[in-house]
Every structure is written in structure tokens, then in C-alpha cells.
Amino acid sequence: MGCAGEPIMLGLDEFEAIRLIDLEGLQQEQAAQQMGVARTTVQAMYNTARRKLALALVEGKTLRIEGGDVAICEKRAHCARGGCCGHHTCAKQKPEG
């Protein structure tokens, strides 16, 4: 079964919003704190991401996750929850250098 048309592009910031809210079970305010953005920004990213996921599922399109103004927590693998524990610099903050 082939995928018609262009792939659906999901930004890393949208991916992180979905991960924190749906997988980790955080409230939007908690996700916003972890990502270093306003709750309204997380809400907008989350809503856009959900629409993109639904479109990819319903229309059978390829979903590509890439891009965005994010930095991955270097200590992530060592956090007890498997995600960022909030003690390290995470999404939306570019690394120094």
C-alpha cells in the first residue's frame, strides 16, 4: 500500500509536546515548563501535532519527524523516567557554542 502525496511533517517541538502530554501524562502547564515555553505555545503545538497525526493515520500518509528549534537533553538516558527529569536544559533552548 503506497502513500500518496507529500509526507506529513511533524516538527520536533510538536513531537515533544505529544510525548510529554500523551506518553508521559503531563499536564500542558508541566509540559510547557519542561520545554521552556508558555502553556499556550504547548497547547498550539499539541493541537497541530494531533491534527497531523490524525491526517497521517486516516489518509495513510508518511509521517516525518524533523526540524524545529530544539536541543535534546544530554542527560536524558540517565533520567529515572527515561525522559528529561527537568534538571537539565531541554527542548526550545539551543545548546551553547
Side-chain angles (χ1 to χ4, degrees):
M1 179 172 155
C3 296
E6 294 292 316
I8 304 294
M9 305 301 286
L10 188 69
L12 289 172
D13 52 354
E14 295 166 327
F15 172 83
E16 184 68 355
I18 290 286
R19 186 186 74 78
L20 290 173
I21 295 168
D22 290 338
L23 185 62
E24 297 292 329
L26 299 182
Q27 298 295 317
Q28 288 181 4
E29 184 65 36
Q30 295 168 313
Q33 289 173 354
Q34 286 230 193
M35 294 177 73
V37 298
R39 186 202 52 80
T40 54
T41 301
V42 167
Q43 182 179 31
M45 288 187 289
Y46 180 70
N47 290 337
T48 300
R50 288 185 60 158
R51 281 191 296 276
K52 289 178 179 182
L53 289 172
L55 185 62
L57 288 170
V58 170
E59 295 189 3
K61 293 190 176 197
T62 301
L63 181 66
R64 292 189 61 186
I65 302 169
E66 62 182 32
D69 185 17
V70 298
I72 304 301
C73 176
E74 293 179 11
K75 305 289 185 188
R76 180 179 176 147
H78 304 291
C79 293
R81 290 186 347 190
C84 186
C85 60
H87 293 107
H88 312 287
T89 302
C90 293
K92 283 295 187 192
Q93 297 180 18
K94 291 183 181 180
E96 295 181 27

